[in-house]
Amino acid sequence: MKKIALLSVASTILFFSCQGPSGDKAATAEKQEVAEQKGDTYTLDASTSTLKWTGYHKGGLNPRFGILKSEGVLTAENNEVTGGTFTIDMHSILTDSASVDPAISGGKTSSDLDAHLKNADFFDVEKYPTAKFEITKVAAFDATTASVIEGATNTISGNLTIKDKTVNVTFPAKITVDANGINIFSKFTINRQDWGLTYGTEGDAKDWMIAQNVDIELSVNAKK
């Protein structure tokens, strides 16, 4: 009986361990020169665009996920995206209640997590109310490269600024440009520590319990 129970626990741990980061790993570099915004201008449609995030505990356990709101513009010329800038409202952090079970989180709710993410332990939104993403380059996707994005067409590089740190990130995306506007879909993974996002002091056990990787899923719909 005890062996069966141990096997059950082991199977559960193995299952959740496989639920970790699932986006393309973003390549990182130092801050780059922002691309010139050439061509027609398209404005982000906030009602049909989404920015989703997923964070994990160590080993992929107890994923937390939610959304952020943003606004921005893209430019395109000859049906190719040339540039763009997005501003992310850090006050808009909203954790999905389905990802936080008070029964196993010591009574904590998704609202408690929202408050924690907004305070000085993480994003310090009173001091840093926005984050920013500025496109530095859009290139053709190398079809010989693996990606979780089915039908990926391009790689997007951009300066992502969170709090007072800017890191250039590059990730695959599927981009379409037509008479109706611009659509971009991507799912990539970043390391929160690249932006100095840690919980407590360096080496703190509380921070160790949180996985460094964070999944970002973008679904952008921009119109003239």
Side-chain angles (χ1 to χ4, degrees):
M1 191 71 176
K2 190 176 291 185
K3 286 184 179 179
I4 294 174
L6 287 172
L7 284 171
S8 177
V9 171
S11 297
T12 301
I13 291 174
L14 180 61
F15 173 79
F16 281 108
S17 295
C18 297
Q19 306 306 300
S22 56
D24 289 311
K25 184 178 180 181
T28 58
E30 294 183 355
K31 182 179 178 180
Q32 307 290 316
E33 182 178 353
V34 175
E36 180 184 356
Q37 296 185 14
K38 299 182 296 182
D40 295 326
T41 299
Y42 299 76
T43 302
L44 178 74
D45 183 350
S47 66
T48 57
S49 301
T50 56
L51 193 171
K52 300 178 182 179
W53 56 266
T54 303
Y56 304 85
H57 286 82
K58 220 61 168 182
L61 292 167
N62 299 324
R64 305 289 193 245
F65 49 88
I67 60 172
L68 281 159
K69 294 180 180 179
S70 62
E71 58 184 22
V73 297
L74 288 164
T75 55
E77 190 173 57
N78 299 322
N79 288 333
E80 298 287 343
V81 172
T82 58
T85 301
F86 298 91
T87 300
I88 303 163
D89 178 8
M90 299 309 295
H91 281 281
S92 73
I93 293 174
L94 183 65
T95 305
D96 192 317
S97 59
S99 71
V100 183
D101 183 356
I104 61 175
S105 63
K108 300 293 185 180
T109 66
S110 59
S111 295
D112 293 321
L113 180 56
D114 290 342
H116 192 196
L117 290 172
K118 291 177 184 179
N119 72 24
D121 282 336
F122 286 100
F123 294 107
D124 198 0
V125 300
E126 292 304 319
K127 186 176 181 180
Y128 305 101
T130 61
K132 181 178 286 188
F133 182 74
E134 299 173 286
I135 292 177
T136 57
K137 183 179 181 180
V138 179
F141 178 70
D142 181 356
T144 65
T145 304
S147 172
V148 302
I149 306 301
E150 185 176 354
T153 59
N154 298 86
T155 56
I156 299 174
S157 300
N159 294 329
L160 177 58
T161 301
I162 302 175
K163 297 175 76 170
D164 55 359
K165 183 73 178 291
T166 300
V167 177
N168 191 266
V169 295
T170 299
F171 50 86
K174 182 177 182 179
I175 302 177
T176 58
V177 182
D178 56 33
N180 296 318
I182 299 174
N183 295 102
I184 299 175
F185 180 78
S186 183
K187 187 173 184 180
F188 59 95
T189 302
I190 60 174
N191 186 325
R192 61 183 173 85
Q193 292 192 344
D194 288 339
W195 288 266
L197 296 172
T198 58
Y199 180 20
T201 58
E202 185 176 352
D204 195 313
K206 293 178 293 186
D207 186 67
W208 183 88
M209 291 298 294
I210 306 171
Q212 294 181 19
N213 291 325
V214 178
D215 280 343
I216 305 294
E217 182 180 307
L218 297 176
S219 182
V220 174
N221 181 24
K223 301 177 180 178
K224 284 185 179 179

